[in-house]
Amino acid sequence: MNIPIITIDGPSGAGKGTVSRAVAKQLGWHYLDSGSIYRALAICALDCSADLDNIKLLVTLATDMRLVFQCDDSLVVILDGVDITERLPTEEVGSTASKIAAYPDVRAVLLQKQKDFCQSPGLVADGRDMGTVVFTQAKTKVFLTASAMERAERRFKQLKEKGIDANLSQITKDIEARDKRDSERKTAPLIAAEDATTIDSSNLSIEEVIAAVMALT
Ligand code: DC
């Protein structure tokens, strides 16, 4: 049976998570936040002070980690029996994930874990290479982007709302560094699939982006 898939790829902070969850909810489909798989592996590596150049160790950690996703209104991620949801969004975890994600051997181990999410009645998958590598068969592919400045401002606002001290120019630098690493890596770089529709969310509300994606299905 052909399970319908919508892929939503793009740089960090473009709104992929919020949009993907909302679309999955409206359609009653499953949701894959592939970044959280890379982030979970980053947490494994950080917790055992792994040398991030030790590919063999990273591959072992990726193979052995047991991940459970509970998706309701929000996503809960359990790593080896421990709830790591609150640790996932930090910049340290994000940039470590981005470094680890550059290794083809690590990506190969995580590939099947992502494919396993493709279950009936359908899947909305968000990440960097959902449309170009993991689910090339998807009928609907979106590349969701926004300017680095806009994404930095959104992140800055989110942190302020949480009462976390933040520096806008540092956030912009972090975002640009991550974009560069994710786009320039040799394996599965961040790039729009040839058959993807690009949506620039810089001047759109979340509701407008959700409506634009729904109109493509
Ligand atoms: O989407 P995110 O910010 O949670 O992803 C964190 C990092 O994981 C991102 O900088 C690169 C990596 N990643 C990837 O290489 N491929 C994916 N499909 C998803 C994330």
Side-chain angles (χ1 to χ4, degrees):
M1 182 193 154
N2 255 350
I3 296 171
I5 303 171
I6 299 174
T7 59
I8 304 188
D9 288 307
S12 114
K16 288 174 296 172
T18 313
V19 171
S20 304
R21 267 196 306 278
V23 170
K25 198 168 177 188
Q26 283 192 28
L27 295 169
W29 290 4
H30 297 281
Y31 166 56
L32 165 62
D33 170 6
S34 61
S36 67
I37 297 183
Y38 288 91
R39 284 173 184 264
L41 179 58
I43 290 176
C44 277
L46 289 168
D47 285 358
C48 67
S49 307
D51 171 359
L52 299 185
D53 294 324
N54 185 341
I55 302 175
K56 213 170 155 208
L57 173 60
L58 296 172
V59 166
T60 304
L61 292 175
T63 308
D64 293 349
M65 72 176 179
R66 283 178 302 116
L67 270 182
V68 178
F69 288 79
Q70 294 164 356
C71 192
D72 199 357
D73 273 341
S74 60
L75 186 69
V76 173
V77 183
I78 316 281
L79 171 64
D80 296 327
V82 179
D83 185 344
I84 55 161
T85 314
E86 286 194 356
R87 297 180 62 194
L88 289 170
T90 66
E91 182 49 39
E92 185 192 24
V93 169
S95 63
T96 307
S98 167
K99 285 176 197 152
I100 289 173
Y103 296 123
D105 291 354
V106 171
R107 301 194 74 84
V109 175
L110 300 183
L111 190 63
Q112 191 56 46
K113 288 187 199 285
Q114 296 169 73
K115 288 186 187 255
D116 290 344
F117 277 80
C118 184
Q119 287 177 20
S120 186
L123 176 71
V124 181
D126 112 41
R128 303 289 187 289
D129 60 342
M130 299 296 99
T132 49
V133 176
V134 185
F135 301 113
T136 48
Q137 76 274 32
K139 290 276 176 294
T140 308
K141 298 182 184 180
V142 174
F143 192 76
L144 184 60
T145 186
S147 68
M149 182 50 101
E150 174 65 29
R151 289 182 282 131
E153 275 170 11
R154 288 179 193 167
R155 176 92 182 123
F156 179 71
K157 216 171 129 210
Q158 274 170 359
L159 291 171
K160 283 273 166 203
E161 278 165 11
K162 285 185 190 160
I164 300 170
D165 209 21
N167 175 312
L168 184 59
S169 75
Q170 186 56 49
I171 294 174
T172 311
K173 276 191 198 135
D174 289 344
I175 283 187
E176 285 169 348
R178 189 123 72 89
D179 284 357
K180 187 167 157 51
R181 195 166 40 229
D182 291 348
S183 310
E184 291 182 356
R185 69 178 178 223
K186 288 204 178 72
T187 309
L190 169 65
I191 188 174
E194 271 179 19
D195 48 350
T197 302
T198 296
I199 300 176
D200 185 334
S201 73
S202 302
N203 297 310
L204 298 177
S205 67
I206 284 291
E207 289 71 26
E208 286 171 320
V209 180
I210 295 167
V213 175
M214 288 300 291
L216 294 171
T217 62

